[in-house]
Amino acid sequence: MLTAVALAVAERTSDESRGRRGRVVARAVREVSGYLGNTPAVCRASYIDPRIVELYEDGRTIAPVLGEMGAGDLFGEPATHGAVERAVLDLLRTGHA
């Protein structure tokens, strides 16, 4: 879920190069690995669903629901619960958030 959020906040343009997309993915993986306290390689192999990266490379992310991040959550709950969590599951199931 953290990777889906990191990729969704990255600005993407229609003429974006493959190299830039690779750098965005690498940065997202580093961010997630720092949060989880693992190396990027361990995170990519064990915690990040490769479909999230593939969907990002196809231009599909959870960006449309980021404005709902934390909506309805109780104080102290992670903001990735609720609408964002459902959007990630929808993205994985259907390819659309």
Side-chain angles (χ1 to χ4, degrees):
M1 203 152 40
L2 296 172
T3 306
V5 171
L7 294 174
V9 299
E11 288 188 36
R12 185 169 159 104
T13 61
S14 59
D15 63 341
E16 188 172 80
S17 71
R18 185 178 204 159
R20 180 173 185 305
R21 286 192 308 268
R23 289 188 295 278
V24 168
V25 170
R27 186 188 72 224
V29 171
R30 282 192 308 274
E31 288 173 4
V32 171
S33 71
Y35 182 80
L36 296 177
N38 281 304
T39 65
V42 167
C43 282
R44 186 95 187 232
S46 301
Y47 298 107
I48 297 172
D49 190 319
R51 294 175 295 169
I52 294 293
V53 175
E54 291 167 8
L55 288 162
Y56 164 76
E57 289 172 345
D58 288 341
R60 294 178 280 170
T61 70
I62 62 164
V65 299
L66 287 182
E68 300 173 36
M69 199 164 175
D73 291 341
L74 298 174
F75 180 77
E77 288 183 338
T80 54
H81 287 192
V84 173
E85 194 170 50
R86 283 187 300 279
V88 171
L89 291 173
D90 288 344
L91 183 65
L92 290 171
R93 277 189 211 114
T94 67
H96 302 289

